[in-house]
Amino acid sequence: MNLEERIRRRQRPTDEATLVTEWEPLSPVAHVEEPVNRAMVIERVLDHFDPLFERRTPPNLYLHGPAGTGKSAVVTALCQHLDRYPISSRPVIYTTTRVAEESPVVVYLDARRITSEFEWYHSLLDELVEESVPERGVGTDRLETRLRTLLRDRTTKFVVAIDHFDEPTVEVERFVERLDSLPDNLCWLAVGRTPPGATPVAELTADAIEFDPYRQQVLTDVVMARASLGLSENVLDHDLAREIAERADGNAHDALTALSLATGRAVDAGRTTITDTDIYTAFEDIPDDGVALGRVLSLPENRQAVLRELVDIPPDERRSVASATRAIDPELSLSPGTIKRFVYELAEAGVLKRIEAMTNTSQGRRPSRVEYLFPAEAFRRLYDRRQ
């Protein structure tokens, strides 16, 4: 932690006495400006984008690795820093036939939030132009034409990072087609979990960089670094941080989810320290191979509202989709039919799980209870904090 951050921490009001100074650094969906212990992979990514420093377009790049290995943390940090500082300090020569080249433009897009071709062109344009891009009254073709004209008519080099491009809800082939058709002064960086040999995006990239799971000591450092930003001193000792890292088994998302949950439980109990029990019960809320909270929080607001109601429903009232639908607060302003449809959609998307009951009848859809494939309590706390 740098000196400026240490000073800022002392200026923040503490809502929970001597336990929490700020919740955001404890969130598993928040990223810090300087990812912990990822210097080597950051250097490899920067090496790949060396041509930018000579005002040339680099080749495309693919970053891949299991969940919770810091891919998004590295990419968001790099995008912020590259977009913030001038790429080249070389003097620009002006002639009657040559205009000054502009500094490269670096854009970050989250594929989880792009569900259509229209949203793809709209999201990209919205990042590249200063004025607001209309969401209504304009067609996809017009947005595409405007984007291509913008790219073609400028000497700027564009870098687009597409995170989570291989989520189950993303049409990877369509993404590849759109990227491949863009002008050659734009390069892209795709980020996903799929190995290079199993995705068509790798055919259009010059290199692939793999992220390995965090080693236990490194993940312990990640947990301690986040705790130093969000907790008062001595709230979390090194042994407890090591326990979180060991239980998380190399997955930073799960480790930070557990840290956030354990902190919340300590606050609820009115304590000023985190205990082994807080950590143990926190991990009980995290499903094995579950869905990342970032994916859940990127769902449309009405789907999130339904999930928020579902996580408060006791298990006996989730014994079937119908009973779960009836238990949801009618003040949600959604019809029972719409709520039921959302539940089925979320199950098909892998956010919820329907476990069918054994019946002797073959007529109609079998009744099924609803289970969560994401950390339900962590989602509840994050959702409520954002409201």
Side-chain angles (χ1 to χ4, degrees), residues 29-292:
V29 298
H31 298 302
V32 295
E33 285 197 7
E34 299 289 342
V36 176
N37 281 304
R38 280 299 189 228
M40 291 184 64
V41 73
I42 289 174
E43 283 296 322
R44 286 192 62 188
V45 176
L46 287 175
D47 286 345
H48 182 90
F49 285 104
D50 262 347
L52 281 178
F53 295 87
E54 297 295 328
R55 298 184 181 275
R56 293 182 288 113
T57 306
N60 304 320
L61 178 64
Y62 179 41
L63 304 184
H64 64 99
T69 51
K71 302 182 298 296
S72 295
V74 166
V75 169
T76 53
L78 282 172
C79 286
Q80 290 172 4
H81 284 278
L82 287 174
D83 197 43
R84 186 182 306 163
Y85 300 109
I87 291 294
S88 176
S89 58
R90 295 185 310 167
V92 178
I93 300 175
Y94 297 88
T95 70
T96 56
T97 58
R98 180 182 180 276
V99 297
E101 290 186 340
E102 304 170 69
S103 292
V105 175
V106 182
V107 172
Y108 172 88
L109 297 178
D110 188 346
R112 289 168 171 164
R113 301 179 182 276
I114 301 174
T115 59
S116 68
E117 190 170 17
F118 176 88
E119 289 182 357
W120 157 251
Y121 289 115
H122 184 278
S123 299
L124 190 48
L125 262 176
D126 202 42
E127 293 290 336
L128 296 179
V129 298
E130 292 184 5
E131 67 272 19
S132 177
V133 180
E135 297 185 16
R136 301 180 183 277
V138 59
T140 302
D141 291 344
R142 184 177 174 186
L143 291 181
E144 180 183 2
T145 300
R146 185 180 176 190
L147 174 64
R148 293 185 182 281
T149 301
L150 170 69
L151 296 176
R152 186 182 62 246
D153 292 349
R154 291 174 62 178
T155 59
T156 309
K157 309 304 180 188
F158 296 90
V159 180
V160 180
I162 307 102
D163 204 355
H164 310 114
F165 91 98
D166 57 353
E167 291 282 350
T169 55
V170 176
E171 296 180 355
V172 176
E173 289 76 11
R174 293 292 296 140
F175 251 100
V176 171
E177 290 175 10
R178 293 168 195 151
L179 290 168
D180 192 32
S181 67
L182 293 174
D184 59 10
N185 60 331
L186 180 145
C187 69
W188 45 268
L189 165 66
V191 185
R193 301 181 189 178
T194 310
T199 173
V201 77
E203 298 174 4
L204 304 176
T205 57
D207 194 10
I209 297 176
E210 182 175 8
F211 281 61
D212 295 320
Y214 286 95
R215 289 178 286 110
Q216 182 176 320
Q217 183 54 54
V218 174
L219 190 51
T220 301
D221 292 342
V222 171
V223 173
M224 288 299 293
R226 290 297 190 98
S228 72
L229 292 173
L231 300 177
S232 296
E233 293 184 18
N234 303 320
V235 168
L236 183 77
D237 64 35
H238 195 271
D239 289 340
L240 288 179
R242 186 167 56 244
E243 182 180 344
I244 291 174
E246 181 179 357
R247 288 176 178 271
D249 193 24
N251 187 321
H253 171 273
D254 289 356
L256 295 175
T257 299
L259 173 64
S260 179
L261 280 172
T263 302
R265 289 169 185 262
V267 170
D268 292 346
R271 288 184 273 104
T272 57
T273 57
I274 296 171
T275 67
D276 283 321
T277 302
D278 294 325
I279 294 170
Y280 177 81
T281 53
F283 274 100
E284 286 187 327
D285 185 57
I286 304 173
D288 294 333
D289 300 319
V291 175

Side-chain angles (χ1 to χ4, degrees), residues 302 306 321-322 324-326 328-343:
N302 52 11
V306 169
V321 173
T325 299
R326 287 193 298 269
I328 288 179
D329 190 342
E331 293 186 6
L332 201 56
S333 300
L334 294 172
S335 70
T338 298
I339 293 172
K340 183 180 290 187
R341 175 168 60 84
F342 284 176
V343 171

